[in-house]
């Protein structure tokens, strides 16, 4: 039940934003829900959901380091 609720929040977010990084989705889900989601749980949902696809990577920077962040978007079939 909780995974379905998180999945619905992610899908609504991606419908409005069209493309987002894993950290943007993580921040949105944790602000939208009381208990939030772990990064491992979020990665599991994103990778296994058929309506969400990985759309490449993007270089992200923090004060201390740089890393490759994954970009996610909805599949064309899911936008209808």
């Amino acid at each position: 039940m909780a995974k379905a609720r998180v999945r619905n929040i992610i899908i609504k977010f991606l419908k409005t934003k069209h493309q987002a990084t894993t950290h943007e989705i993580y921040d949105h889900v944790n602000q939208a829900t009381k208990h939030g989601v772990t990064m491992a749980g979020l990665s599991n949902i994103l990778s296994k959901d058929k309506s969400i696809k990985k759309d490449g990577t993007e270089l992200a920077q923090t004060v201390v380091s740089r890393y490759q962040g994954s970009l996610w978007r909805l599949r064309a079939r899911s936008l209808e």
Side-chain angles (χ1 to χ4, degrees):
M1 174 98 169
K3 287 182 185 177
R5 190 174 304 125
V6 170
R7 186 175 295 120
N8 289 334
I9 291 169
I10 293 168
I11 290 171
K12 285 180 186 176
F13 179 66
L14 288 175
K15 279 184 181 178
T16 60
K17 185 128 177 170
H18 301 293
Q19 185 179 28
T21 64
T22 306
H23 283 281
E24 289 173 337
I25 296 169
Y26 177 76
D27 290 339
H28 176 75
V29 170
N30 285 335
Q31 289 174 0
T33 61
K34 182 178 179 180
H35 296 291
V37 66
T38 63
M39 186 59 82
L42 176 64
S43 297
N44 190 21
I45 291 170
L46 290 172
S47 65
K48 293 186 179 181
D49 192 326
K50 301 290 185 195
S51 63
I52 300 171
K53 73 173 186 173
K54 189 173 181 180
D55 197 37
T57 60
E58 179 181 82
L59 184 64
Q61 286 185 292
T62 63
V63 175
V64 182
S65 65
R66 293 187 301 182
Y67 62 92
Q68 290 288 331
S70 298
L71 292 170
W72 301 93
R73 72 172 40 219
L74 291 176
R75 294 189 187 273
R77 231 179 5 196
S78 302
L79 292 173
E80 299 171 353

